[in-house]
């Protein structure tokens, strides 16, 4: 299961995405691919906008992001969380957002 933790603070948010969905075998797992695409696209968008707003760490089955608050960065994060919640609704056995 992919677990997504969202920790909001006044100065910055921390988001941790960890695990593998187990929906299908590696290379054929549309749930992992979808989550990865959403998260990586959001990270890249924030970096292109203002790279000093985000720090992130990424390895297989794990991404940690620390994002400073900014109007556009906050909108991008809200969008990411909204998309991940839509995936959670459809694939409840494979994604959990806290």
């Amino acid at each position: 299961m992919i677990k997504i933790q969202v920790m909001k603070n006044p100065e910055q948010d921390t988001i941790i995405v960890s695990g593998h969905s187990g929906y299908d075998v590696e290379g054929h797992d549309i749930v992992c691919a979808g989550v990865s695409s959403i998260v990586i696209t959001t990270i890249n968008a924030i970096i292109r906008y203002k790279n000093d707003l985000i720090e992130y760490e990424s390895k297989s089955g794990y991404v940690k992001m620390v994002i400073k608050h900014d109007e556009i960065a906050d909108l991008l994060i809200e969008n990411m969380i909204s998309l991940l919640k839509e995936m959670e609704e459809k694939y409840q056995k494979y994604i959990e957002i806290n």
Side-chain angles (χ1 to χ4, degrees), residues 28-79:
H28 296 277
D29 193 324
I30 61 169
V31 176
C32 274
V35 169
S36 294
S37 294
I38 291 167
V39 170
I40 291 167
T41 298
T42 302
I43 290 170
N44 287 339
I46 294 170
I47 288 169
R48 291 186 102 170
Y49 168 61
K50 281 187 187 172
N51 67 354
D52 63 337
L53 293 177
I54 188 168
E55 293 178 19
Y56 71 98
E57 172 186 352
S58 177
K59 56 187 174 185
S60 179
Y62 180 85
V63 175
K64 178 180 178 182
M65 298 173 270
V66 178
I67 309 100
K68 295 177 190 172
H69 289 295
D70 171 274
E71 184 178 359
I72 292 178
D74 288 348
L75 284 172
L76 290 167
I77 292 300
E78 282 181 39
N79 183 66

